[in-house]
Amino acid sequence: MKDYSDILTQIERAEISPFVWTRLQQKLENKSTSKISINASRAMVVSLMLLLVLNMFALNRTQKQDDSMINFAESMNLFPQNSIYGE
């Protein structure tokens, strides 16, 4: 079996034409310069802030409803008693 290094030394290096090389470089430069516009980034920030505020509002409202239900249950003595002697 031949050694792989012998096979690799037989391979000739390919030359690329200058025209293809410059086009390839230009495409790579164009890809790296694409950016998100300022208006799009502002819209994303505003959307995320609005979502955060709505979530906080919903969580706060749920907590208040839970507190009012607990107060109602306490006033009506609706809590189950888990003790044997009803202390």
Side-chain angles (χ1 to χ4, degrees), residues 61-77:
R61 186 178 171 117
T62 304
Q63 183 64 33
K64 286 181 182 177
Q65 286 177 351
D66 290 345
D67 290 343
S68 65
M69 292 178 83
I70 289 171
N71 289 339
F72 176 74
E74 283 178 350
S75 67
M76 301 297 275
N77 289 327

Side-chain angles (χ1 to χ4, degrees), residues 4 11-12 15 19-20 22-23 25 32 37 40 44 50 54-55 58 68-69 74 83:
Y4 289 111
I11 297 175
E12 292 181 26
E15 294 289 328
F19 175 73
V20 174
T22 55
R23 295 218 26 185
Q25 284 179 329
S32 64
S37 69
M44 283 187 251
L50 181 64
L54 287 175
N55 281 335
S68 65
M69 292 178 83
E74 283 178 350
S83 66

Side-chain angles (χ1 to χ4, degrees), residues 5-65:
S5 62
D6 293 337
I7 295 172
L8 290 176
T9 57
Q10 295 174 358
I11 297 175
E12 292 181 26
R13 185 162 267 227
E15 294 289 328
I16 189 167
S17 70
F19 175 73
V20 174
W21 179 249
T22 55
R23 295 218 26 185
L24 180 63
Q25 284 179 329
Q26 186 64 35
K27 283 187 179 185
L28 289 174
E29 287 175 8
N30 287 343
K31 288 230 181 224
S32 64
T33 59
S34 62
K35 296 180 182 178
I36 298 174
S37 69
I38 294 173
N39 290 337
S41 63
R42 286 180 184 164
M44 283 187 251
V45 168
V46 168
S47 301
L48 290 174
M49 299 269 294
L50 181 64
L51 183 65
L52 180 66
V53 168
L54 287 175
N55 281 335
M56 290 173 62
F57 176 74
L59 288 174
N60 192 17
R61 186 178 171 117
T62 304
Q63 183 64 33
K64 286 181 182 177
Q65 286 177 351

